[in-house]
Amino acid sequence: MIAESTTASLVLRATEAFPSNGSRQANLRYKHPHITIEDRGLRPLRPDHVRLQMLRVGVCGTDLHMTQRDEQGFLRCSAPAHIPAEGRVLGHEGIGRVIGVGADVGAFRVGDILAPESVLSCSVCRSCRSGCFNQCQKAVLLGMEQDGLFSTIADVPARSTVNISELGQTDQGLQMAACLEPAGVALLCGMNTRITPGDKVLIFGAGPIGLLCAIVARQVYGASSVAMVEPSPYRRQFAGRWADQAASSADELTTPAHGWDVVIEASGDLSNINRVFRQIAACGRVALLGRGGQPLTIDAVDHMITNAISVMGLRGHLGGVYERLIELCLSGHLPLDSIITTTLEGLDKLQIVLSQPDVVASTDCKIVVKLAD
């Protein structure tokens, strides 16, 4: 195999800025996003890293938010991000074939197909030592705080990758594997909200995360019904395969007699929770997945106390979640590729998508980009 010396990458550049009140206590934010495709030289492979030829990458809502601006001109994304002067290579969902192995890596070999995890945990902080890897206090987010996967070649830490070679033997398997990262968020959400057979689940947002939560709630955890709220007519219609009810607002839904057992907010509009809070059943569970940078307001605190309703924020997919998903895919229980609405070829097509982020919700659910065979 001929060693490559450069990689084509999709790079986001932005201008550093602080909020208009001038407070430097607030998190650093960015303005004026601009995306380019650049050829970058490859650095020597670190001993604990693997070098991947990227095969498939997925477009996440966070990638779109990194290119959108709010009313003040700041990047819409509220997740932790660091964009250096030379720009940040975006992308945290994808799979690649090993073309190089660091000197200290013994678990993988050239030709293996791997799925990088997007939360790069440290394994030594208190959270990690307690098994809470997704809440690692020193976590670095791939494609946000460290260069990501929107490249023809990407170097990633070997310990933060999972071998998906068995799943990647077919094109369908590769497509499913490209969705492992968001599916991991959905599986972990179902686990933490303790969805059980017979539960009634309400999901806000029928984007990839919300739709995967619906599929997982039904196929894995046995929810008896799933309702979804989605303003986009396209996504609302697409969600009909997995939702018993799909409406543009919660007011249009038929609320179960005893209320919703689980409410999942995957749209980023936290005001949704307050609108339906009194409709949540006793011992109900609320999960916040979508980031919007908004405050959470709950008026019905007495209802919350009386009914022992729990509200939790969730992120990530670490802790053996990928391995469980792979088994579910191989057994035919979890058709992850069913959420893919468009498959593009090449970084140039991806650049067009990210240059028009407001269009995606009206025309697509999950976009996967093919970079190599």
Side-chain angles (χ1 to χ4, degrees):
M1 180 178 295
I2 299 175
E4 298 284 349
S5 60
T6 62
T7 176
S9 301
L10 194 147
V11 180
L12 172 71
R13 283 188 169 82
T15 304
E16 291 185 359
F18 286 87
S20 56
N21 62 13
S23 171
R24 299 186 68 85
Q25 301 302 313
N27 290 333
L28 180 65
R29 298 182 68 188
Y30 299 90
K31 285 186 172 182
H32 313 303
H34 178 64
I35 297 175
T36 60
I37 297 176
E38 304 175 11
D39 286 328
R40 291 188 161 193
L42 289 169
R43 297 185 178 94
L45 185 60
R46 293 173 56 176
D48 59 345
H49 278 49
V50 289
R51 178 160 291 170
L52 303 180
Q53 177 188 31
M54 296 307 300
L55 304 178
R56 304 282 194 284
V57 293
V59 179
C60 175
T62 302
D63 299 317
L64 299 174
H65 293 168
M66 288 290 284
T67 64
Q68 290 175 313
R69 308 179 188 188
D70 64 15
E71 294 79 4
Q72 288 76 43
F74 290 102
L75 295 192
R76 184 181 168 192
C77 182
S78 63
H82 171 60
I83 305 174
E86 67 271 19
R88 173 66 67 216
V89 179
L90 296 177
H92 57 272
E93 300 177 10
I95 53 174
R97 181 178 289 109
V98 177
I99 59 173
V101 178
D104 295 341
V105 177
F108 306 120
R109 61 184 182 182
V110 171
D112 287 342
I113 303 176
L114 308 182
E117 296 171 324
S118 66
V119 181
L120 307 180
S121 60
C122 72
S123 300
V124 296
C125 71
R126 182 177 182 181
S127 294
C128 287
R129 299 287 288 180
S130 300
C132 301
F133 300 103
N134 293 295
Q135 282 65 56
C136 171
Q137 301 303 296
K138 299 179 181 179
V140 176
L141 301 185
L142 191 65
M144 305 286 289
E145 299 171 295
Q146 177 172 307
D147 282 346
L149 305 179
F150 289 169
S151 294
T152 53
I153 297 173
D155 292 351
V156 295
R159 65 179 178 82
S160 295
T161 61
V162 175
N163 195 327
I164 59 99
S165 297
E166 185 178 2
L167 182 60
Q169 295 305 303
T170 65
D171 186 71
Q172 182 185 22
L174 290 172
Q175 293 286 88
M176 286 194 286
C179 300
L180 283 175
E181 199 273 350
V185 175
L187 190 71
L188 199 62
C189 177
M191 186 185 311
N192 281 278
T193 55
R194 307 185 311 280
I195 298 175
T196 56
D199 276 351
K200 307 290 195 297
V201 179
L202 170 60
I203 301 170
F204 288 96
I209 294 290
L211 194 59
L212 284 165
C213 285
I215 297 172
V216 165
R218 277 195 177 283
Q219 298 292 101
V220 179
Y221 296 107
S224 62
S225 72
V226 174
M228 304 195 76
V229 175
E230 171 55 55
S232 164
Y234 175 86
R235 289 187 169 181
R236 193 163 61 245
Q237 182 178 12
F238 188 72
R241 176 178 175 185
W242 301 104
D244 300 278
Q245 302 182 73
S248 59
S249 73
D251 295 337
E252 300 172 20
L253 298 174
T254 300
T255 304
H258 71 270
W260 304 106
D261 298 296
V262 175
V263 176
I264 299 171
E265 210 311 299
S267 75
D269 182 0
L270 295 184
S271 64
N272 287 321
I273 301 302
N274 199 43
R275 294 190 186 102
V276 301
F277 206 85
R278 293 184 185 278
Q279 300 169 14
I280 298 175
C283 300
R285 290 84 70 196
V286 178
L288 309 179
L289 301 181
R291 292 180 182 265
Q294 304 172 347
L296 173 65
T297 301
I298 298 175
D299 294 333
V301 176
D302 283 348
H303 178 74
M304 180 180 185
I305 295 171
T306 300
N307 291 283
I309 297 169
S310 58
V311 179
M312 66 192 80
L314 296 172
R315 78 163 185 182
H317 49 268
L318 305 184
V321 174
Y322 273 18
E323 288 82 357
R324 298 183 189 187
L325 287 170
I326 291 167
E327 292 300 326
L328 288 166
C329 290
L330 290 171
S331 66
H333 285 90
L334 202 55
L336 295 186
D337 57 318
S338 66
I339 71 165
I340 299 174
T341 49
T342 297
T343 300
L344 304 173
E345 293 203 15
L347 290 175
D348 54 339
K349 300 294 195 306
L350 176 57
Q351 182 183 21
I352 293 172
V353 168
L354 293 180
S355 298
Q356 303 172 344
D358 298 325
V359 177
V360 174
S362 61
T363 58
D364 269 297
C365 181
K366 186 63 179 177
I367 298 174
V368 168
V369 183
K370 181 179 179 180
L371 297 181
D373 292 315

